[in-house]
Amino acid sequence: MGVRQSFHHPLSTPGTMARDEENEKLLHIVMFPWLAFGHMIPYLELAKLIAKKGHKISLVSTPRNINRLPKVPPNLTTLIKYVNLPLPQVDNLPENVEATTDVTYDVVQYLKKAYDLLQQPFAEFLESSNADWVLFDFTAFWVPSIASKLGIKTAFYSIFPAPVLAFFGPSLCLIGNDDRTQPQHFTVPPPWVPFPSTVAFRYFEIMRISDILSHNVSGFSDKYRLGTTIQNCDFVAVRGCTDFQPEWFQVLRNIYQKPVLPVGQLPTTGFAGGDDNDNDAWQWMKEWLDKQPRGKVVYVAFGSEAKPSQEEVREIALGLDKTELPFFWVLRVRRGTSDTEELRLPEGFEERTKERGVVWRSWAPQLKILGHESVGGFLTHSGWTSVVEAVEKEKALVLLTFLADQGLNARVIEEKKMGYSVPRNDLDGSFTSEAVAASVRLVMVEDEGRVYRENIKKMKDLFVNKERQERYVDELLSHLHSPTTQ
C-alpha cells in the first residue's frame, strides 16, 4: 500500500484551511456513484447529511449528469463539489449518453464499458484530491485497487437495501463459486438466509435481468463487479435501517465478515434552484389535483430505468380505465433519442378518460405529487427511492416490477404488508387490465385492502425519523474516524 501524498485541499478556501488545521477530524470524502439517477440521488442525499456536519464531499460523475443533478443547497456549496470526468466514447454508445435513463436496457452494457474507461482520470483526480475516503458504487469495482495505492480507504456504499445484497450472497459466490447456475435457482431464498423468507425473484423477474449473471460487452458481469467490490472494500455502507430489517443486516455481517453499517433510508430532501418551467408544470398539476376527490387519485410512475412493453402499457391503460378512479400517469414513451420504439396508448384512451385522468410524458415532481391530499395510492415499479417517498407521504403501494432489484424489493414490501403486487403470469410476467384494476381498487378503496393503507402509515417513523437518520450518519462518521479503519 502506498503512502498518500500531501496535497493542498482542492476545495478549500483560506478560511476552511485554517479550520482544517484546527480540527483534524474534518474529512474529505470522495463519492463515486454508478451512472443512474436511482444511484446518484441517494449518494447526493448522503453527501448533504455528511456535509451538514462540516465535512467536504467531492461527488464525481460525468458533465451531463452533473448538469441534470439538483443544485446543492446554498449553505452547503462550499462543502459539496461536483467533479466532472468526461465519459469516454465507445462503439455502440450513442452520443450524449451518460446515464441509464438515456438508453434502452440492452445498451446499458456499453455504458458500463465507457464507465470502466474512467479508471485513469479517476485515479488522476484521486491522486490530487487529498481524500480520506472513497465511497463508491459496485459498478466501479476497480476503485479499491486505485485507492489503496494512494493509501486511501474505501467503502462500498450500496443503494440496494440489505435484503437485496443478502440474497445475492457472499463475495466468493458472486465472483464464481455459486451453485446457483440457472435462473430458477434465483426463485428461492438462498441457504445462508437462516429464517423463513419469501425474498426471491419470480421466474420472469430473473429472466429479464439474466444478463447480470454473465459477462456482457464490458467483459464483467454485474455479479462479478459486486463480488469484487465487497471483497476489496474496507467496509460496506447500506441504504436502510436496522430498526426496519435487523435480521437482514445480520445476514450481511455473517456472510461478508466485515463491518456493515446502515446509513438510513435517506428520504429525498429539498434542493435549491428549480426550473421555472418545472414550477409552471407543477402549478398546472396542482390545480388539476386540487379538483380531484381526496385520497382517490392513483399516481402511476415506473422510475427512470424501466420501460414497459407496448402490451404492458396497453393493459395498464385499460386497467386504469376500469378502476373508475382518477389517475395521474407519468409515462416515458422513449428511453433516449436512440430509442426507436415509442410507446403508444390504446386508441381513444386519452379522449375517453380526459375528464378523470392525466398522462404526463416528461419529468414530474414525484414527491410533490405524492404529497398532495388527493393522491391515495401509488402504482410503482418498487424502486427503493420511490418506496421511501411513498412511505414518507403515507401512500399505499401497488407493485408492478420490471428490472434490477425491483422484484426483491417487492417481496419485502409484500411481507411487511405495505403493498400488493399485481397478479402476473410467473413465467412471462404478463398481466391483465382486470388484474391492474382489481389491485388498484383493493389497495386504495376496498375494506380488504385497509391493512396496506394502515401499515404504510405505521412505517413512516422508521423511514423518515430525523433523529434516527442523524444517528446513522453520526455512526458512519464515527466509523470513518475510527483508528481501526484508518
Side-chain angles (χ1 to χ4, degrees), residues 31-175:
M31 288 189 167
F32 191 37
W34 165 232
L35 306 177
F37 284 91
H39 291 240
M40 290 182 272
I41 296 297
Y43 267 71
L44 185 53
E45 288 295 347
L46 183 59
K48 287 160 61 181
L49 291 167
I50 292 173
K52 281 179 183 174
K53 310 279 186 182
H55 304 283
K56 296 181 177 66
I57 303 288
S58 295
L59 198 148
V60 181
S61 194
T62 62
R64 189 158 179 252
N65 288 331
I66 286 171
N67 286 339
R68 290 182 286 182
L69 282 169
K71 292 183 177 69
V72 174
N75 61 319
L76 299 177
T77 52
T78 60
L79 295 168
I80 299 176
K81 296 295 182 186
Y82 287 138
V83 177
N84 281 290
L85 295 184
L87 189 68
Q89 279 295 302
V90 298
D91 290 343
N92 299 309
L93 189 67
E95 204 173 342
N96 293 323
V97 164
E98 295 186 13
T100 55
T101 190
D102 300 328
V103 288
T104 51
Y105 182 71
D106 58 306
V107 181
V108 171
Q109 57 184 326
Y110 298 101
L111 191 62
K112 286 177 182 145
K113 188 175 183 180
Y115 187 70
D116 288 341
L117 294 176
L118 289 174
Q119 288 179 62
Q120 185 61 33
F122 183 77
E124 288 168 5
F125 161 71
L126 212 54
E127 196 171 356
S128 65
S129 70
N130 204 26
D132 299 292
W133 281 88
V134 181
L135 269 57
F136 71 106
D137 219 331
F138 82 97
T139 330
F141 66 102
W142 31 264
V143 161
S145 64
I146 293 171
S148 65
K149 290 170 188 167
L150 300 169
I152 302 171
K153 295 284 191 177
T154 60
F156 164 39
Y157 166 27
S158 171
I159 61 98
F160 300 117
V164 174
L165 290 178
F167 179 83
F168 280 107
S171 58
L172 289 178
C173 274
L174 291 159
I175 291 167

Side-chain angles (χ1 to χ4, degrees), residues 103-386:
V103 288
T104 51
Y105 182 71
D106 58 306
V107 181
V108 171
Q109 57 184 326
Y110 298 101
L111 191 62
K112 286 177 182 145
K113 188 175 183 180
Y115 187 70
D116 288 341
L117 294 176
L118 289 174
Q119 288 179 62
Q120 185 61 33
F122 183 77
E124 288 168 5
F125 161 71
L126 212 54
E127 196 171 356
S128 65
S129 70
N130 204 26
D132 299 292
W133 281 88
V134 181
L135 269 57
F136 71 106
D137 219 331
F138 82 97
T139 330
F141 66 102
W142 31 264
V143 161
S145 64
I146 293 171
S148 65
K149 290 170 188 167
L150 300 169
I152 302 171
K153 295 284 191 177
T154 60
F156 164 39
Y157 166 27
S158 171
I159 61 98
F160 300 117
V164 174
L165 290 178
F167 179 83
F168 280 107
S171 58
L172 289 178
C173 274
L174 291 159
I175 291 167
N177 300 327
D178 195 345
D179 294 332
R180 299 177 296 179
T181 54
Q182 301 299 319
Q184 57 266 31
H185 295 157
F186 291 85
T187 62
V188 292
W192 50 80
V193 175
F195 46 82
S197 173
T198 62
V199 175
F201 287 107
R202 295 175 66 185
Y203 185 78
F204 73 87
E205 290 169 338
I206 190 62
M207 286 306 295
R208 289 185 178 192
I209 57 167
S210 58
D211 61 303
I212 68 169
L213 311 177
S214 57
H215 290 329
N216 50 49
V217 298
S218 74
F220 304 98
S221 70
D222 282 4
K223 270 186 74 181
Y224 178 85
R225 289 174 188 270
L226 179 59
T228 308
T229 288
I230 293 162
Q231 188 175 60
N232 295 334
C233 68
D234 290 287
F235 75 95
V236 178
V238 181
R239 183 184 194 179
C241 61
T242 44
D243 306 80
F244 179 59
Q245 296 168 322
E247 71 280 16
W248 288 105
F249 275 90
Q250 192 54 54
V251 171
L252 289 182
R253 289 168 182 144
N254 293 343
I255 63 176
Y256 290 173
Q257 293 294 296
K258 62 176 58 180
V260 178
L261 275 68
V263 298
Q265 299 289 8
L266 301 170
T268 308
T269 54
F271 290 92
D275 192 295
D276 286 340
N277 292 331
D278 292 343
N279 293 334
D280 290 344
W282 166 242
Q283 199 54 45
W284 184 91
M285 293 173 195
K286 184 179 182 303
E287 287 172 10
W288 183 86
L289 289 165
D290 286 346
K291 296 171 187 169
Q292 308 308 315
R294 184 186 178 104
K296 290 294 185 283
V297 175
V298 55
Y299 173 61
V300 186
F302 303 117
S304 59
E305 302 285 310
K307 182 189 175 186
S309 69
Q310 185 59 60
E311 181 61 26
E312 287 169 337
V313 165
R314 179 180 178 275
E315 296 304 315
I316 293 165
L318 296 177
L320 291 173
D321 196 1
K322 289 170 183 173
T323 64
E324 299 183 349
L325 293 168
F327 62 86
F328 192 102
W329 184 3
V330 179
L331 175 63
R332 291 191 65 216
V333 295
R334 294 168 69 196
R335 276 188 59 162
T337 53
S338 62
D339 185 357
T340 55
E341 295 181 24
E342 186 168 323
L343 295 173
R344 299 177 314 281
L345 291 164
E347 196 171 340
F349 169 75
E350 285 183 273
E351 179 65 27
R352 193 167 61 249
T353 60
K354 67 180 180 182
E355 297 302 320
R356 63 178 176 89
V358 170
V359 179
W360 191 262
R361 289 176 171 84
S362 59
W363 181 86
Q366 179 162 292
L367 202 59
K368 288 181 178 177
I369 296 169
L370 285 171
H372 197 283
E373 62 178 16
S374 71
V375 174
F378 184 9
L379 176 56
T380 174
H381 59 306
S382 310
W384 203 251
T385 293
S386 288

Side-chain angles (χ1 to χ4, degrees), residues 369-440:
I369 296 169
L370 285 171
H372 197 283
E373 62 178 16
S374 71
V375 174
F378 184 9
L379 176 56
T380 174
H381 59 306
S382 310
W384 203 251
T385 293
S386 288
V387 171
V388 172
E389 290 181 350
V391 175
E392 181 179 357
K393 300 303 182 182
E394 301 182 6
K395 309 302 183 187
L397 297 161
V398 185
L399 312 173
L400 197 60
T401 63
F402 293 97
L403 289 173
D405 60 332
Q406 295 162 15
L408 301 179
N409 291 343
R411 299 304 94 74
V412 171
I413 296 161
E414 292 161 7
E415 282 188 356
K416 301 279 189 182
K417 289 206 168 359
M418 297 158 59
Y420 177 83
S421 286
V422 174
R424 302 169 79 164
N425 180 295
D426 210 50
L427 293 179
D428 63 13
S430 61
F431 55 88
T432 65
S433 57
E434 288 81 6
V436 172
S439 302
V440 169

